[in-house]
Amino acid sequence: HIQFQPGSAAVAPPEREILAQLVNALGQRPELVLEIPLLQGEGDRAALQEQAVTARINAQLEQTTEADGSLTDRRLAIVEQLYQQAGLSPTLEKLRQANMPMPETSEDGTVDLAAALTAGELDVPAYVQDMRSRLIAAESISDAALADLAESRRQAVMAYLAEQGWM
């Protein structure tokens, strides 16, 4: 059984070793017929969802320049825009609030003044990851896309076998 990374059709080195052994065995028994099934795994849909969201973010990042702000600021703006376009909930304001650390209180109930002053700062990486996770979860991946991945995997196995001199 050949394993693939979720969402990928690349034949990894350990799997190439298995296929090389298969080619050797098939060479010794040419009467055998090899059927290559279409392979889909448990994590494929989630991996394709993540790939789709990442590709959209990166495509929009490529259209920006340093004049548009720092990479962090540009990524933040793009992810917020995608989140709003997707019509997801909760609102951006509620997500911002959820990603602002609260000052810690001591056992006697007092709050450290320095901690309170920085508590209102947005944890940007956590905020972006929160939106990104929600975008990924909402990303629609069709059964046809999964079937295409399975076919790509079958083709990759066949191509590797052909490279090894079988077929």
Side-chain angles (χ1 to χ4, degrees):
H1 189 269
I2 302 299
Q3 299 289 322
F4 290 91
Q5 290 294 318
S8 174
V11 180
E15 307 311 310
R16 289 176 184 226
E17 289 178 28
I18 293 169
L19 290 173
Q21 292 171 4
L22 177 63
V23 167
N24 185 36
L26 290 170
Q28 294 174 8
R29 299 184 66 194
E31 71 279 1
L32 292 178
V33 176
L34 178 65
E35 290 184 21
I36 302 172
L38 298 177
L39 303 171
Q40 292 181 31
E42 293 292 320
D44 287 333
R45 188 176 303 272
L48 291 176
Q49 288 172 301
E50 183 173 357
Q51 290 170 13
V53 169
T54 299
R56 273 204 311 281
I57 292 168
N58 290 341
Q60 288 191 22
L61 270 175
E62 288 175 7
Q63 297 175 7
T64 65
T65 66
E66 288 183 18
D68 297 319
S70 71
L71 180 59
T72 300
D73 290 343
R74 289 180 281 157
R75 183 179 309 277
L76 172 62
I78 289 167
V79 174
E80 282 182 330
Q81 178 186 21
L82 291 173
Y83 187 87
Q84 287 181 313
Q85 288 172 349
L88 300 178
S89 63
T91 64
L92 288 178
E93 185 57 36
K94 287 183 180 178
L95 281 180
R96 279 188 202 103
Q97 290 172 357
N99 285 285
M100 287 190 183
M102 299 303 292
E104 294 184 24
T105 57
S106 64
E107 289 180 18
D108 65 0
T110 60
V111 175
D112 180 326
L113 183 59
L117 292 174
T118 60
E121 294 179 20
L122 179 64
D123 183 347
V124 174
Y127 174 58
V128 169
Q129 184 56 41
D130 193 357
M131 287 185 292
R132 190 173 178 282
S133 295
R134 292 168 190 271
L135 284 166
I136 290 168
E139 184 68 25
S140 177
I141 299 296
S142 69
D143 290 340
L146 290 170
D148 288 346
L149 174 62
E151 178 60 27
S152 295
R153 288 174 171 171
R154 189 175 74 75
Q155 293 294 330
V157 169
M158 290 174 56
Y160 185 78
L161 292 174
E163 287 174 18
Q164 299 302 306
W166 187 81
M167 295 171 82

